[in-house]
Amino acid sequence: GILISASRRMSADPDPHWDIKLATFGVAFLGCFLVSLLTRLASDAAGVDVPLHIRGLAVSGLHAIVVVSTATLTFLRGDGDIGVGGEEPLLGSLGLCVSVAYFVWDVRNMLRTGYQPLLPLLMHHVISGASMSWIACCVPRAVWYTCILQMSEATVPVNNLVTLWEWRGAHDRPSYTLLRWLLLAAWLPMRLLLIAYFHVPVYREWSGMSLPMHVLALNGPLLLTFNSAALAKVVLDGFPWLARKGGKGE
């Protein structure tokens, strides 16, 4: 009863940080275009034709570094009681705003590049973006829980390096083999075990959660299913990875 009434009361009150959150979204959205532009200018200066989807790796990598940092700091600061009878974890909320801005930018980027398979990632961006927007604006108690899921973005920089090596045609280099093993080593704890752990505090607090919290908690099973499928179809593609004899030097 106390948790439900507190959650509803906080959701009903005007958001005192709406201006900061809106500004964060705007700066992050423009920042995505700026990083992409700088990457294009650098590639042009080097005389290298870099396609849009490869330039986007710099944007997604920077997004991952920012939001994993904000999510981890928020997670370490407390537990699920943050936001109930206390202050909203503003840093975590701003990290969510950054992710929403990136998702909006990346949907545009995927449509422009004809990304395939489009539907799974498009659904991920739309569902996650809508959920994070709702949490940042209306359900501050859910911020801490969402930060657990957001920390799974730690695999993105490694995955981006794998994609970059593949674009460069460096499949036969020892560094590519190492990157594939590193991606698998990162994927298992960050994309599967961490999201599985998300259900532990959710289950512990389930009886005291409001209906919006119950709805938002459904993102956990969805992401676990999505990441399990990605493990089979993307991460484990070509497994086991062995350095090829006679490969190019590093």
Side-chain angles (χ1 to χ4, degrees), residues 29-67:
F29 186 63
L30 293 176
C32 291
F33 286 98
L34 178 60
V35 172
S36 181
L37 175 62
L38 291 176
T39 306
R40 189 191 71 177
L41 293 176
S43 61
D44 289 347
V48 180
D49 183 18
V50 180
L52 180 60
H53 75 281
I54 296 298
R55 297 203 305 269
L57 298 180
V59 182
S60 65
L62 183 59
H63 159 258
I65 292 172
V66 171
V67 302

Side-chain angles (χ1 to χ4, degrees), residues 134-146:
W134 186 19
I135 292 168
C137 296
C138 307
V139 196
R141 173 152 159 68
V143 171
W144 182 85
Y145 297 92
T146 309

Side-chain angles (χ1 to χ4, degrees), residues 33-198:
F33 286 98
L34 178 60
V35 172
S36 181
L37 175 62
L38 291 176
T39 306
R40 189 191 71 177
L41 293 176
S43 61
D44 289 347
V48 180
D49 183 18
V50 180
L52 180 60
H53 75 281
I54 296 298
R55 297 203 305 269
L57 298 180
V59 182
S60 65
L62 183 59
H63 159 258
I65 292 172
V66 171
V67 302
V68 169
S69 299
T70 58
T72 302
L73 288 173
T74 301
F75 175 77
L76 294 176
R77 280 187 58 200
D79 55 27
D81 290 335
I82 290 180
V84 178
E87 295 184 359
E88 172 188 2
L90 181 59
L91 181 64
S93 294
L94 297 182
L96 299 185
C97 294
V98 172
S99 280
V100 173
Y102 168 72
F103 289 149
V104 174
W105 176 86
D106 200 39
V107 166
R108 172 185 178 275
N109 198 45
M110 289 189 299
L111 294 175
R112 287 186 61 192
T113 59
Y115 179 88
Q116 293 297 328
L118 176 63
L119 186 58
L121 196 57
L122 183 62
M123 289 179 60
H124 168 272
H125 281 19
V126 171
I127 294 174
S128 296
S131 298
M132 289 181 178
S133 299
W134 186 19
I135 292 168
C137 296
C138 307
V139 196
R141 173 152 159 68
V143 171
W144 182 85
Y145 297 92
T146 309
C147 285
I148 299 175
L149 302 178
Q150 206 173 25
M151 287 191 292
S152 67
E153 292 290 308
T155 63
V156 169
V158 182
N159 190 43
N160 285 356
L161 288 175
V162 169
T163 302
L164 180 61
W165 257 239
E166 290 175 346
W167 173 71
R168 293 172 56 194
H171 300 74
D172 55 350
R173 295 190 175 186
S175 56
Y176 176 76
T177 302
L178 176 61
L179 286 172
R180 293 305 300 262
W181 284 104
L182 286 176
L183 179 59
L184 177 60
W187 198 273
L188 294 176
M190 301 306 297
R191 290 282 180 172
L192 298 182
L193 294 181
L194 182 65
I195 295 179
Y197 165 77
F198 162 82

